[in-house]
Amino acid sequence: MRLLRSTDLALRILMRLAVESGATPATRQVAADMDVPYTHAAKVVAELQHLGLVDARRGRGGGLSLSAQGRTASVGAVVRAFEGDGEVVECEGDTPCPLHTGCRLRGALRRAQEAFYASLDPLTIADVTSSPTGPLLLEIGRHRP
């Protein structure tokens, strides 16, 4: 299973904010540090804020910070929120699969998708930012010319 770029970025932003000690980086700074377009980062940050995982303040002294809910958020829940509950394969789209009424593959793929999410459910953002990951996250973007 391949994650959407927005899902990957959401997880990296949450992880980055989890290791910030008192600093509240702006979305533009996070985008630069992660080497992604600002517009893409801004959309992801807006969704993270909507989910209650990130607090964002505008203006002087503003920036991004991880909410209490964000710190304890399940990685599986974040991935589900960004990926959605859609099927792994499209069986009934514009050109329905001729096997859709008796296919055993669809159910197997759905179970595999749920097993993937279930393996991520017990992990929290705090878990995935413990050492050695946390110190590495703090170095992202700091040594760029």
Side-chain angles (χ1 to χ4, degrees), residues 38-112:
Y38 166 75
T39 53
H40 190 57
K43 287 178 187 177
V44 170
V45 165
E47 182 62 20
L48 290 170
Q49 187 178 12
H50 174 74
L51 294 169
L53 304 175
V54 169
D55 294 321
R57 291 180 307 284
R58 293 179 178 258
R60 190 186 227 39
L64 303 174
S65 60
L66 197 61
S67 69
Q69 182 181 347
R71 194 164 303 283
T72 60
S74 159
V75 172
V78 173
V79 172
R80 275 187 189 89
F82 276 83
E83 295 289 319
D85 279 335
E87 297 284 337
V88 175
V89 293
E90 183 63 45
C91 298
E92 299 176 23
D94 293 337
T95 324
C97 174
L99 302 174
H100 79 280
T101 59
C103 182
R104 295 180 65 180
L105 180 60
R106 184 179 188 180
L109 291 172
R110 184 59 149 159
R111 287 188 301 278

Side-chain angles (χ1 to χ4, degrees), residues 9-30:
L9 184 56
L11 292 169
R12 289 190 288 146
I13 288 171
L14 290 171
M15 291 169 66
R16 177 61 189 271
L17 295 176
V19 298
E20 290 290 343
S21 56
T24 54
T27 303
R28 196 167 298 282
Q29 181 62 50
V30 170

